[in-house]
Amino acid sequence: MSDAAQPVSTLHWLSDSPSARLLIHLATAHQPISHNLLDELPSGHAERYLRHLLIATGILPPRNDDLERIPAWLDGLLADRPPHHGRLVRPFTTWVLLRRARRRAADRLHTTSAAQRIRRRVRQTLQLLDWLDAQHLDLATLDQDLLDTWLSASRSHYEVKQFLDWAAQHGLTGLHTITTPTNAAAGPVLTEEDRWRQLRRCLTDAALPLEVRVAGSLVLLYGVSGEHQRQMTTDEIHGSAPYKTFLRIGPSSLWIPPRLAELLHQLAQMPRQRSALTCHLADQPSWLFPGVLPGHPLSRKAFNDQLVRQGIQTRPARTAALIALAAELPAPVLADLLGVHIHTALKWAHHAQRDWSSYLVARAADINKDETMAPENARRKVHQTDRGEGPASIDP
């Protein structure tokens, strides 16, 4: 309490917060505080806030909470379902979906979207099993024609591909072909006029919240996803405003135009911690968009909602920006610039209907020419040096 930056706020939290009441309950439980002990508490915002507070203060070890909540969620989902559903879905979720997500979480921070993807695929798998039950069928009798009939009912049904691949590997069903419909720009797309109008507003309208101006500009100008922006820290901003600012997005750093650079630096200089309980702690991530949960960025919903309130729809805005970039840049350059997979960049280039094959051929020719001319260039440099025409030598 003596170290608190805002003692009054801390006292208010202790006296009125549901999270504080849970903390008092744990303190009187006469058991070591652990993640397992918190898992026994009623799930909700209070329990989630308290868990992240205890992690931020070092009382509990870090835990990938988005993924670790999946087993309990799955237990509740399967509680009222036929036993054979659980015998199929539980091992698939544990050993395929969760195992892969945990492995990837070691390298990437986007675990919220990974957890949502797991839930979505589990639900679609259960829908398939429900449909088979209604048809008095099972996985062993599922053939390609029956599967195509089920897939045609909804685009989301294609999420079952991973489950059916796993089932085929274990001899539970035959091999099935699932060709997922691809459309890089599914859904509405902003017109170029609307895109530039919204971008101009983000850059010039001082009445907009600063977070909205920066987030909106990044998605409208470079197509940076909300999920990626949420994970940005102030450490990824390099240089000084207005003309020498770079923002690290993928493997490369993007040069930021002066007006947006000024907004970025203003946002980076704002107080980083929203919680009075953790603002004095060291080693906390300096999120560009800090959230309410201690040690965490702004939630995905809160991030999108703040843009929607100002009339900026993130998906149409990002789609329009990526199409515009794909029309101007070769796919390899776009992939490196924004840190997206080359296949994703190729899809956007295809949607923009820009053929970069001539660029690739010319680039390959340049590389071959450089390799062919390398020995001749080396010989010229030797002759120039012998005649005293080369660069001045450096004395030791």
Side-chain angles (χ1 to χ4, degrees), residues 103-170:
R103 186 168 60 246
R104 291 181 175 179
D107 302 320
R108 301 191 304 179
L109 294 173
H110 302 172
T111 56
T112 301
S113 58
Q116 291 173 342
R117 185 162 52 250
I118 289 174
R119 287 181 166 89
R120 191 169 62 245
R121 290 182 177 176
V122 168
R123 291 191 183 101
Q124 290 302 322
T125 298
L126 289 172
Q127 285 190 24
L128 173 61
L129 296 178
D130 285 339
W131 183 81
L132 288 173
D133 289 348
Q135 305 297 319
H136 305 289
L137 301 170
D138 56 22
L139 285 176
T141 56
L142 178 65
D143 59 25
Q144 188 66 46
D145 289 339
L146 288 169
L147 178 60
D148 289 342
T149 300
W150 185 76
L151 291 174
S152 64
S154 172
R155 179 188 176 90
S156 62
H157 285 174
Y158 289 83
E159 295 274 5
V160 301
K161 183 180 187 307
Q162 199 172 10
F163 169 73
L164 290 177
D165 289 345
W166 170 82
Q169 291 172 5
H170 289 78

Side-chain angles (χ1 to χ4, degrees), residues 31-352:
Q31 297 182 47
I33 295 179
S34 65
H35 284 294
N36 290 337
L37 185 60
L38 263 70
D39 288 340
E40 298 175 2
L41 298 176
S43 179
H45 176 76
E47 173 266 329
R48 188 175 177 84
Y49 183 91
L50 178 59
R51 186 189 301 273
H52 289 290
L53 177 62
L54 295 175
I55 291 173
T57 53
I59 296 174
L60 286 178
R63 185 176 97 157
N64 201 325
D65 209 40
D66 292 317
L67 298 180
E68 298 308 322
R69 289 177 178 271
I70 294 292
W73 168 81
L74 185 61
D75 288 342
L77 190 64
L78 295 175
D80 299 326
R81 287 188 164 270
H84 67 278
H85 287 192
R87 288 194 295 269
L88 291 168
V89 173
R90 200 181 300 279
F92 167 68
T93 305
T94 302
W95 299 111
V96 178
L97 298 180
L98 270 175
R99 186 180 183 183
R100 180 174 298 181
R102 285 168 177 153
R103 186 168 60 246
R104 291 181 175 179
D107 302 320
R108 301 191 304 179
L109 294 173
H110 302 172
T111 56
T112 301
S113 58
Q116 291 173 342
R117 185 162 52 250
I118 289 174
R119 287 181 166 89
R120 191 169 62 245
R121 290 182 177 176
V122 168
R123 291 191 183 101
Q124 290 302 322
T125 298
L126 289 172
Q127 285 190 24
L128 173 61
L129 296 178
D130 285 339
W131 183 81
L132 288 173
D133 289 348
Q135 305 297 319
H136 305 289
L137 301 170
D138 56 22
L139 285 176
T141 56
L142 178 65
D143 59 25
Q144 188 66 46
D145 289 339
L146 288 169
L147 178 60
D148 289 342
T149 300
W150 185 76
L151 291 174
S152 64
S154 172
R155 179 188 176 90
S156 62
H157 285 174
Y158 289 83
E159 295 274 5
V160 301
K161 183 180 187 307
Q162 199 172 10
F163 169 73
L164 290 177
D165 289 345
W166 170 82
Q169 291 172 5
H170 289 78
L172 302 174
T173 189
L175 291 174
H176 302 288
T177 300
I178 298 181
T179 303
T180 306
T182 57
N183 184 359
V189 183
L190 282 181
T191 64
E192 274 296 276
E193 181 181 355
D194 285 340
R195 174 174 166 251
W196 286 109
R197 178 182 56 79
Q198 291 190 11
L199 178 59
R200 191 178 302 111
R201 181 183 174 221
C202 288
L203 292 174
T204 60
D205 189 351
L208 290 177
L210 184 57
E211 295 93 336
V212 171
R213 298 180 69 185
V214 171
S217 296
L218 287 174
V219 71
L220 286 161
L221 186 60
Y222 292 120
V224 184
S225 70
E227 191 68 19
H228 193 113
Q229 289 194 51
R230 291 195 315 108
Q231 304 293 340
M232 286 181 178
T233 67
T234 57
D235 296 334
E236 293 169 274
I237 303 173
H238 304 286
S240 56
Y243 295 102
K244 297 181 179 179
T245 296
F246 294 85
L247 180 64
R248 189 167 186 82
I249 292 181
S252 304
S253 292
L254 284 174
W255 178 78
I256 302 300
R259 189 166 293 181
L260 177 54
E262 292 179 2
L263 298 177
L264 261 179
H265 285 285
Q266 290 176 28
L267 184 60
Q269 292 165 8
M270 290 176 61
R272 295 295 92 204
Q273 296 291 341
R274 294 195 175 201
S275 172
L277 300 172
T278 57
C279 62
H280 67 289
L281 298 176
D283 301 326
Q284 291 297 299
S286 183
W287 303 113
L288 195 58
F289 301 97
V292 174
L293 289 178
H296 280 251
L298 197 63
S299 71
R300 186 178 186 179
K301 183 178 185 304
F303 182 92
N304 290 331
D305 285 350
Q306 68 178 359
L307 291 173
V308 170
R309 282 194 295 269
Q310 304 301 331
I312 302 173
Q313 299 286 340
T314 54
R315 185 180 292 274
R318 181 170 187 257
T319 298
L322 289 175
I323 290 175
L325 289 171
E328 299 294 332
L329 298 172
V333 176
L334 181 62
D336 182 69
L337 191 66
L338 299 182
V340 299
H341 196 278
I342 182 62
H343 292 165
T344 301
L346 286 170
K347 288 178 182 178
W348 287 110
H350 175 73
H351 188 80

Side-chain angles (χ1 to χ4, degrees), residues 2-25:
S2 60
D3 294 335
Q6 302 177 34
V8 174
S9 297
T10 305
L11 283 171
H12 178 74
W13 181 82
L14 287 171
S15 60
D16 295 335
S17 170
S19 299
R21 289 194 286 272
L22 286 181
L23 181 60
I24 294 172
H25 171 75

